Amino acid sequence: MSSEDKDSQEDELLALASIYDEDEFKRAQDVQGGETRISVAVPQNFRVSLSGNFTGNLENSKLEYTVSFLPPVVLNFEFPPDYPSTSPPAFLLSCKWLSQAQLTALCRHLDNLWEENRGSVVLFAWMQFLKEETLAYLNITSPFEPEITKQEKQPKEEDGCYDIRDAASAHKESSDTSTVEDVESLSILIKEILDFDQSQKEKNFNCKMFTCDICFSVKQGSECMDFKDCKHVYCKICLKNYFEIQIKDGQVHCLNCPEPECSSVATPGQVKELVEEKLFALYDRLLLQSSLDLMADVVYCPRPSCQTPVMQDPSCTMGICSQCNYAFCTLCKMTYHGVSPCKVTAEKLADLRNEYLQADEATQRFLEQRYGKRVIQKALEEMESKKWLENNSKSCPRCATPIEKLNGCNRMRCTACMQYFCWLCMGVLSRINPYKHFSDPDSPCFNLLFQAMEIED
């Protein structure tokens, strides 16, 4: 490697690191190379259209979404010793929403850019092309329907498909083995595109500054929240107080945007983010009950980025979202689990037993069907056991083991850790002379060794 090539490579890597953040450019540790994640420029109101059998019916359906961001085009590269004087960078190009043929076309254009700039550094030109001209170069317009191609044979490492050292020559073949398409199905592609679009929107929102229309304070987006339909923005502190007041008053259907005459409503995911867990449980229960009273056949998709109303069969607890194809239990909002009872965490057992004891007979039957009678019985038994321990035992001051005193003096010894302690003040006693605590005039338990003890002649 000539000194000029080495200096050019180092300068180019330093320049890329200063231009792009860590999410967009990562330099390799062991070689002269790295990885870039290029976000393709997407025009306004860009729509992605997907056709397929999403519901399991005989007929195909068509889904269409408006997105502002698409998953990045990933460019892995490595500099040969004689770059940029003679050879181009070896590279590997991949993308979740482009077909093999489209990636091949991009690879060939990157070759052409190198030929036009032979002898000069070319990575920045490659990245700018991928960012600004990918859609136009591939004649991709809205609505865009990605092409899903299945490979009959999974490439192996020895084929050169994943070896970056061979990629520069490999992608010139007609099959273009330097491209990798990692989309396995339409459902995965839908999730990838929507989740990435949502995460990028949140990232951009968190970096901006907004004026809360309630307290009129100027705050960063990470301290604010917007209503999905109207896009009105308020700080989280004001919305938290507003939500709490409405929920405590039982007005779970009145969590509207505070803007006068605005009909936008907060999603359950937004409410859960701001209010305490117990208050959200009250909100969730009231919302479920009122919804069942009014529209017993409608539930909401539990994915925070979706929240689409879903029609369900009253005889079944399974809901399938028509937008994101998520199959879920309409009771616990988790992935559908068939006839098995809804799972309950150890932390929720206390709330479950309290709710069961305070419920009427109909609600108790509903809880037994939802969680199973064994789970309910276990929760009640644990509550009784805990109450008994609180009333009849004390915890060892060293290991916290519950200990019951049946008889004997106030010098106690834990059967778990063998620690001596005083039953009256729960202080730790000396292992050598535990009775000194009761014979020392300065001790709070002086002469109280046998206090409250029944002594028989």
Side-chain angles (χ1 to χ4, degrees):
M1 176 188 297
S2 67
S3 59
E4 292 183 359
D5 284 337
K6 183 177 180 180
D7 292 342
S8 296
Q9 293 177 18
E10 190 64 27
D11 291 343
E12 185 172 21
L13 291 174
L14 291 174
L16 293 176
S18 64
I19 295 173
Y20 301 100
D21 58 31
E22 295 182 356
D23 294 335
E24 297 175 303
F25 173 74
K26 291 182 180 179
R27 181 172 178 174
Q29 299 295 327
D30 52 348
V31 296
Q32 285 288 88
E35 177 184 278
T36 63
R37 305 178 69 84
I38 301 108
S39 296
V40 175
V42 177
Q44 289 186 350
N45 299 321
F46 186 80
R47 288 171 290 130
V48 177
S49 178
L50 298 167
S51 300
N53 192 338
F54 302 106
T55 60
N57 298 327
L58 296 178
E59 297 182 359
N60 288 341
S61 56
K62 189 171 185 178
L63 304 177
E64 195 166 284
Y65 307 91
T66 300
V67 297
S68 301
F69 302 91
L70 291 170
V73 177
V74 181
L75 175 67
N76 290 277
F77 66 91
E78 181 180 328
F79 294 145
D82 55 354
Y83 169 80
S85 62
T86 305
S87 300
F91 67 93
L92 187 68
L93 195 63
S94 61
C95 182
K96 297 180 180 298
W97 46 274
L98 292 177
S99 67
Q100 195 80 12
Q102 290 169 326
L103 288 171
T104 299
L106 292 178
C107 287
R108 289 174 177 167
H109 188 74
L110 296 185
D111 279 341
N112 294 335
L113 290 177
W114 160 253
E115 294 297 335
E116 296 173 2
N117 297 274
R118 179 179 290 273
S120 303
V121 294
V122 75
L123 276 181
F124 183 75
W126 281 3
M127 295 174 67
Q128 286 298 104
F129 162 74
L130 292 173
K131 178 180 179 64
E132 298 176 359
E133 301 181 44
T134 293
L135 297 184
Y137 182 79
L138 298 176
N139 294 321
I140 294 177
T141 57
S142 179
F144 165 56
E145 185 166 357
E147 299 176 8
I148 305 300
T149 59
K150 296 182 179 179
Q151 298 179 354
E152 296 180 358
K153 176 184 176 183
Q154 182 68 27
K156 299 180 180 179
E157 187 172 345
E158 56 265 25
D159 295 334
C161 296
Y162 294 101
D163 191 344
I164 196 168
R165 292 170 298 178
D166 299 335
S169 59
H171 73 78
K172 295 181 181 179
E173 301 297 331
S174 60
S175 61
D176 198 336
T177 53
S178 71
T179 60
V180 178
E181 184 171 2
D182 55 356
V183 176
E184 296 179 358
S185 66
L186 280 174
S187 60
I188 294 179
L189 179 59
I190 293 172
K191 184 178 184 301
E192 290 280 354
I193 293 177
L194 295 181
D195 288 351
F196 182 81
D197 180 60
Q198 181 66 24
S199 65
Q200 289 299 109
K201 287 179 179 177
E202 292 177 358
K203 181 180 178 181
N204 287 0
F205 179 84
N206 291 339
C207 295
K208 295 180 180 179
M209 302 298 294
F210 297 94
T211 300
C212 175
D213 290 339
I214 297 178
C215 65
F216 302 105
S217 299
V218 178
K219 296 186 178 181
Q220 195 168 4
S222 57
E223 302 177 273
C224 300
M225 180 176 288
D226 65 332
F227 284 79
K228 302 301 181 183
D229 295 332
C230 62
K231 303 303 180 184
H232 291 143
V233 179
Y234 305 91
C235 74
K236 291 182 178 180
I237 296 177
C238 292
L239 283 183
K240 180 178 184 296
N241 295 332
Y242 168 61
F243 288 166
E244 288 177 347
I245 293 173
Q246 295 286 66
I247 294 173
K248 290 177 181 178
D249 290 343
Q251 304 297 325
V252 293
H253 285 291
C254 297
L255 301 184
N256 295 4
C257 172
E259 183 74 15
E261 299 181 2
C262 183
S263 59
S264 296
V265 181
T267 65
Q270 291 177 316
V271 179
K272 186 175 183 179
E273 180 181 347
L274 295 184
V275 304
E276 297 179 356
E277 184 176 353
K278 290 184 178 180
L279 200 59
F280 179 76
L282 173 62
Y283 160 81
D284 193 33
R285 184 168 65 252
L286 294 175
L287 186 63
L288 176 61
Q289 291 175 352
S290 60
S291 297
L292 290 175
D293 291 340
L294 298 175
M295 299 180 294
D297 57 346
V298 174
V299 293
Y300 290 89
C301 175
R303 292 186 67 212
S305 60
C306 186
Q307 299 294 317
T308 301
V310 177
M311 301 292 292
Q312 67 159 347
D313 185 348
S315 62
C316 178
T317 60
M318 181 178 70
I320 301 178
C321 180
S322 60
Q323 295 295 320
C324 64
N325 205 34
Y326 180 53
F328 60 94
C329 172
T330 57
L331 299 177
C332 65
K333 303 301 186 294
M334 302 298 289
T335 302
Y336 183 64
H337 46 76
V339 297
S340 302
C342 298
K343 293 182 179 180
V344 58
T345 62
E347 293 79 6
K348 194 176 179 181
L349 276 177
D351 295 334
L352 176 59
R353 60 181 174 241
N354 293 334
E355 183 180 1
Y356 183 83
L357 291 175
Q358 297 172 6
D360 54 27
E361 185 177 351
T363 305
Q364 287 182 346
R365 287 198 302 269
F366 169 75
L367 292 174
E368 290 175 356
Q369 293 174 356
R370 177 174 178 179
Y371 297 105
K373 287 187 177 181
R374 291 184 179 180
V375 174
I376 299 292
Q377 186 63 32
K378 179 182 177 182
L380 296 176
E381 290 175 354
E382 288 187 1
M383 181 179 66
E384 293 299 325
S385 177
K386 184 178 180 181
K387 285 183 178 179
W388 188 93
L389 288 174
E390 290 176 352
N391 296 330
N392 298 277
S393 69
K394 295 182 180 181
S395 298
C396 170
R398 182 181 181 188
C399 66
T401 299
I403 297 175
E404 179 187 11
K405 184 176 183 294
L406 298 177
N407 53 44
C409 66
N410 291 319
R411 190 276 301 168
M412 303 292 292
R413 186 177 70 169
C414 177
T415 57
C417 66
M418 301 304 173
Q419 175 65 55
Y420 289 105
F421 64 93
C422 173
W423 182 256
L424 299 177
C425 68
M426 298 305 293
V428 176
L429 304 182
S430 169
R431 289 180 179 271
I432 299 175
N433 184 13
Y435 293 100
K436 183 181 178 181
H437 176 71
F438 302 96
S439 60
D440 185 357
D442 296 330
S443 171
C445 302
F446 176 63
N447 278 341
L448 299 179
L449 177 63
F450 300 105
Q451 186 186 38
M453 174 183 172
E454 296 182 1
I455 302 177
E456 298 179 358
D457 270 338

